[in-house]
Structures are given as structure tokens and as C-alpha cells.
Amino acid sequence: MTSTALELQGISKSFDGFQALTEADFSARWGEVHALLGENGAGKSSLMNIAAGLYAPEAGRMLVDDNLVQLGGPRDAARHHIGMVHQHFKLVKPFTVAENIMLGHPLASGEGSHRKRLAQLEAQIQAKAQALGFDIDPRQRTERLSIAEQQRVEILKVLLAGARILILDEPTAVLTDQEAERLLSTVHALARSGAAVILVTHKMADVKTYADRVTVMRGGRTVKTVDPRQVAVAELVQLTVGDSVAAAVRDERSPVGEARLRVRGLRTPQAGGRRALDGVDLTLHAGQIYGLAGVGGNGQSELAAALLGLDDRIEGDIQLEGFGDLKAASTSERRVLQVAAIPADRYGIALAGALSVAENFGIGQVHEGRYGPVWRLDRARMQADARDAVAAFDVQGVRNLDQKAALLSGGNAQKLVLAREFGRMPRIVLAHSPSRGLDVRAGAEVHARLLAARDAGAAVLLISEDLDEVLALADRVGVMTRGRIVAEFDQPADRQSIGQAMVHHS
């Protein structure tokens, strides 16, 4: 066996005239965890998508075990034992775990009845899951699994299909500290057993703790490959962004104003013997960031959906000062009331990927009549407003305002959402995992916008499973478990006490 598992040499790739990769290089060895670090839009995912057979390079070459290969698609990559777990999971939610895994498994076209082949696969899943320390029921429907469990299914899917070169794209972006530690310890052990693991990440702590080597990319080019144990975090940040990034600083002296939003007795319909929300009470004050922490799957997503008006089955009260029941407010009324919405799913909910950058920005003011009647929109004015907003919020990767929003990287897509929602200073900000999957610079810019909104008098709710983010920004911290807020802390809050509340009430 050669020491080099995968090598990419001089890779170039463009999309719609945009040069995503320029002569990028990367190599991973058998038996190592190799981290790939860079800002959003640096080309990391594009390079790994080429390694996984999803994109074809326009220049350069790829070697597996020192043998030149040309991939015609993901099936070719699988034949070369390459498997990729994407940041946005590719699971069929109504299917069981075993049915999802069978989609990419050799047993899918094997001999015997479907039921017999499925039973064989279920046994394989149980054996592999046990070896990896995963607690997975092969017969459980995927839609009932937590985010962490769905990720384990994706890993099982590629490993059972024969992958020995495992690419993980932002694997800890949606996990709690404990879940992330468990996952990375597992893949580290997998590498030590002889596999090659490529970790695409923004988290410096993950790189320093688990990676044997780290390659930094910037602007579609490879900058440098270093031993993370031999370099400081500050140097990695410098390599990643090219200059220093100022962290957002929470002003301890910010005064707290009147209660802007009161939530009382919020409940979802009972399903499967329990309620996702089971009596949520909280109050948001002007000039305050209320940070809601908790282990994933304890009702945070359902609370965000209720407050954002995405679920009309909610029981209880959401009273907005000066208006009344926010549940009764239409989308256009919410905008008039200056309620800013930053959902966790920026591509699925916050943006319409098939629409242009200008349309995604302007849609926030269409109902107010700023661009005239909907049957004859003033697109020139919309484009002018979008152009100013793109510049003001530093939305990179916008070659023209007519390009589809789906072509923006994660960080720049989030900046476009912020540009629209903060186009005028909001009175209420509802933010769910606003910096999930973002690099150091983009995350710092998001945090700065939330702090600026608070300092201007907005009441901000920050729902995040990243406890570091909550502690860095929040003036008051709540802990959510089993659909309720079970504890609250004023800053400076004790991290251990918050952690105990998260665990002991679950």
C-alpha cells in the first residue's frame, strides 16, 4: 500500500464564468486525518466535490494510490473507495435507515428478494454501527432521527459502500460539543485503522485537536499545508483570511429596555407520546440578546418555526408589544412591525435559490409597494437597492445582480439574508444558528450585526447549539430541554452550570 491515498494536482474549475479553483493542490495519506481549512467560497467544497466525482475539473489531475484516475461521477469515485458526507445531508426522510443505505449499496442490485437483501443489510448496519460506537436502529425512519443520528447514517452509508477515503464536509457544524467530540474521536480511530479521513471545517479547535495535517485554501488556491501541532491558532487564522479578524465584543454596560416580546405556554400538538414544545415561557427585552442554549432536538427548531410564523399549529401566546398576538401577523405585517427573521436553513427558507440576488433582496419590500405593483415592478430601483446592500454588507461572489442566489457560498448567502432583514433597523431579531457553517470572518460579521442591532435597541433572540456563540453574544442565557426553558442565567454565566442544566434536565 502506498502512503498517499488521494492526490489532486493543479486543479482548476469555473462556474458560469467564476473561477472557483485555480491550480489547487491537495493530498491525503493513509492513516491520517487531514483538515481542509478556508473561508466560505475559498474552494474547499468545490475541490472535494471533484474528488468525490460530482464535478469534473477543467485542468489538473487526480491520483488514488498513486494511480491516475478520471472520474465519470460519484459511482466511479465509490469504485475507487472514495465516499463524501456532505454538509447538507442527502437522505430520503420517509425511508428507514436501511432503505437509505441500500440506495448506494451493492445489495441494491443483488440476488434474492428485496426483503431478504434488506435483512442482510440491516445486519451489516448493526455490526458496523457497533464497531464505530454508533447507536443506530436500521429500521427507524430517518425523519425521526436527530441531526447527529442522520449524520451517522450518512457515514455508515459511505463506509458500507466500501469507502476507505472518507471526506467529511463541515461534520460538526450541526452538532453539540459532546456530539462533535464523539464523532471526531470515531473518525480519528477510523484513520488510525488505516483509512484516510479528510475533514473540511472552519473550527480551529477541531483542527488543533484531531488533524494530523491541515491544508489552507484562500480564493480558490492552495495556500499552505502545515502540521497543526506546530502552528498557533493565530497563524492558522492569518493563513485562512489573509489578515486579522476582529472578534465581536459584547458591551456589558448595554441597558435593558422594555419587554418587546412575551412568549407564554407555547406548545406543539402531541406526537409520538410527547410534545416538541411543552410550555415555553420567555421574554425578550429591548437592548438585550437572549441566548437559548441546549442539546439539539430539544425543541429549538420547533420554537424557531413557531416564532418565525412557519407553524400554524402552535398553542399559546406570542405577544408583541404594541401589536398583540404575533401568530396572527402575516409576512407583510411582520415586516411593517420590523421583525427580522434569520432561519437556520438559509437556502431552504431564507432564500429562494432559483431567484436572482436582486429579487431575493427586494422581495422584502415588494409587499410595501416600494417597487410599485407586483404586476409591474420597478426592477431598476430594486437592482439599485440590491447593489447598495451588497456593497454595504460585503456580499462577495456577486458577479451580477441577476445571478441566482443558489450560486452564493454559505457565508455570502447569509450576508444577503442579513442585508435584506437589516435593510432597516429591526425592533425584533429572531436568529436561529446564524453562523452555522460559516468561516471565521463571516461568523464575526454576523455577530457584529447582531450586536449592532441590540445596541440600537432591538430585542434579539439567538437560538444556537454552539455554546461558545451563546456565551460570546448573549446578555441573558436560557437552557432548553424537552421542549421547555428549564434554567436562565445572567452574564457572566458559568459554563459548567449551563452544561449541567443542559444534561440534568434532559
Side-chain angles (χ1 to χ4, degrees):
M1 179 184 292
T2 61
S3 61
T4 302
L6 172 70
E7 187 167 4
L8 297 157
Q9 301 175 347
I11 301 295
S12 295
K13 179 67 177 177
S14 62
F15 298 95
D16 191 26
F18 172 69
Q19 196 68 33
L21 295 169
T22 304
E23 298 181 355
D25 299 316
F26 179 84
S27 68
R29 299 168 183 159
W30 295 114
E32 77 167 355
V33 176
H34 193 138
L36 187 57
L37 195 63
E39 293 188 276
N40 294 111
K44 308 180 305 299
S45 293
S46 295
L47 187 61
M48 289 302 102
N49 280 328
I50 286 173
L54 291 168
Y55 300 155
E58 292 162 357
R61 61 181 197 159
M62 174 173 163
L63 297 92
V64 176
D65 267 338
D66 289 336
N67 296 311
L68 187 64
V69 300
Q70 286 187 314
L71 303 181
R75 288 187 181 276
D76 277 353
R79 280 192 283 270
H80 288 284
H81 306 291
I82 300 170
M84 183 170 179
V85 177
H86 298 267
Q87 182 179 356
H88 302 287
F89 305 147
K90 300 181 182 299
L91 298 172
V92 183
K93 295 297 180 69
F95 282 15
T96 66
V97 169
E99 288 168 341
N100 266 288
I101 291 176
M102 180 170 272
L103 293 174
H105 195 276
L107 276 173
S109 56
E111 297 180 357
S113 68
H114 174 76
R115 180 176 296 181
K116 181 178 179 180
R117 286 181 282 124
L118 193 61
Q120 287 179 283
L121 183 56
E122 287 171 354
Q124 291 182 22
I125 293 169
Q126 288 178 322
K128 192 67 173 179
Q130 185 176 6
L132 293 172
F134 291 170
D135 183 15
I136 292 291
D137 178 1
R139 298 184 180 182
Q140 181 65 272
R141 294 201 178 278
T142 308
E143 60 194 356
R144 297 180 182 174
L145 300 179
S146 69
I147 293 295
E149 289 171 327
Q150 290 180 39
Q151 187 174 61
R152 292 173 197 145
V153 173
E154 288 278 23
I155 292 172
L156 286 169
K157 184 168 67 174
V158 297
L159 291 178
L160 287 169
R164 296 184 59 250
I165 300 171
L166 181 63
I167 303 169
L168 302 173
D169 191 2
E170 297 292 348
T172 62
V174 294
L175 304 183
T176 63
D177 292 350
Q178 296 87 348
E179 289 169 338
E181 182 179 354
R182 193 179 307 123
L183 172 68
L184 292 175
S185 295
T186 298
V187 299
H188 188 267
L190 191 65
R192 291 298 180 261
S193 71
V197 177
I198 301 166
L199 187 66
V200 181
T201 184
H202 294 109
K203 297 191 175 182
M204 298 294 176
D206 293 350
V207 172
K208 293 287 287 182
T209 304
Y210 295 98
D212 300 293
R213 288 192 298 159
V214 54
T215 293
V216 180
M217 293 187 69
R218 189 168 70 240
R221 299 175 183 270
T222 302
V223 176
K224 197 174 185 180
T225 297
V226 297
D227 181 342
R229 293 160 295 191
Q230 303 298 319
V231 297
V233 169
E235 184 177 346
L236 287 175
V237 172
Q238 175 74 22
L239 289 170
T240 301
V241 303
D243 50 30
S244 61
V245 177
V249 178
R250 179 169 52 85
D251 182 359
E252 304 283 357
R253 298 169 298 174
S254 295
V256 175
E258 76 277 5
R260 284 270 175 86
L261 192 72
R262 291 184 174 88
V263 176
R264 296 291 181 267
L266 217 59
R267 288 179 172 82
T268 52
Q270 191 163 330
R274 62 182 294 268
R275 296 176 187 268
L277 298 180
D278 193 16
V280 174
D281 296 328
L282 69 87
T283 302
L284 303 184
H285 290 267
Q288 182 186 71
I289 296 179
Y290 186 106
L292 194 58
V295 177
N298 276 279
Q300 297 96 319
S301 295
E302 289 80 5
L303 176 60
L307 297 178
L308 295 173
L310 301 176
D311 189 345
D312 58 6
R313 305 168 302 152
I314 299 298
E315 303 170 7
D317 293 324
I318 306 175
Q319 294 293 320
L320 177 63
E321 179 263 333
F323 175 77
D325 187 2
L326 189 63
K327 298 199 306 296
S330 65
T331 300
S332 56
E333 285 177 314
R334 285 169 177 260
R335 295 210 168 274
V336 171
L337 293 167
Q338 295 170 266
V339 178
I342 307 172
D345 186 355
R346 61 185 70 106
Y347 291 109
I349 298 175
L351 296 173
L355 297 183
S356 70
V357 169
E359 289 167 333
N360 271 281
F361 173 80
I363 198 169
Q365 299 185 60
V366 166
H367 293 295
E368 299 175 17
R370 177 172 175 80
Y371 306 118
V374 293
W375 59 86
R376 194 174 65 250
L377 293 177
D378 185 347
R379 293 189 176 274
R381 187 177 188 184
M382 183 186 293
Q383 291 237 346
D385 285 351
R387 187 177 298 107
D388 291 343
V390 163
F393 283 75
D394 191 30
V395 185
Q396 300 290 320
V398 179
R399 297 178 296 284
N400 65 74
L401 295 168
D402 290 324
Q403 80 179 58
K404 293 182 178 180
L407 296 177
L408 295 176
S409 68
N412 289 308
Q414 191 72 313
K415 289 180 189 178
L416 179 59
V417 174
L418 293 173
R420 183 185 66 216
E421 297 302 310
F422 290 0
R424 57 184 179 183
M425 190 53 66
R427 297 180 70 245
I428 302 282
V429 179
L430 305 173
H432 185 196
S433 301
S435 63
R436 176 184 290 171
L438 303 190
D439 58 58
V440 175
R441 186 196 300 274
E445 290 176 1
V446 170
H447 290 172
R449 293 289 179 180
L450 293 177
L451 288 169
R454 181 209 60 182
D455 292 343
V460 181
L461 175 63
L462 169 65
I463 303 174
S464 176
E465 293 170 27
D466 184 343
L467 187 53
D468 289 330
E469 179 173 52
V470 171
L471 291 175
L473 297 180
D475 302 291
R476 186 166 173 78
V477 178
V479 175
M480 190 167 188
T481 67
R482 293 185 178 272
R484 294 185 180 186
I485 296 175
V486 297
E488 292 184 318
F489 304 85
D490 286 320
Q491 290 279 39
D494 178 64
R495 187 187 187 103
Q496 186 174 0
S497 297
I498 294 174
Q500 288 175 345
M502 291 166 61
V503 174
H504 291 168
H505 290 274
S506 61

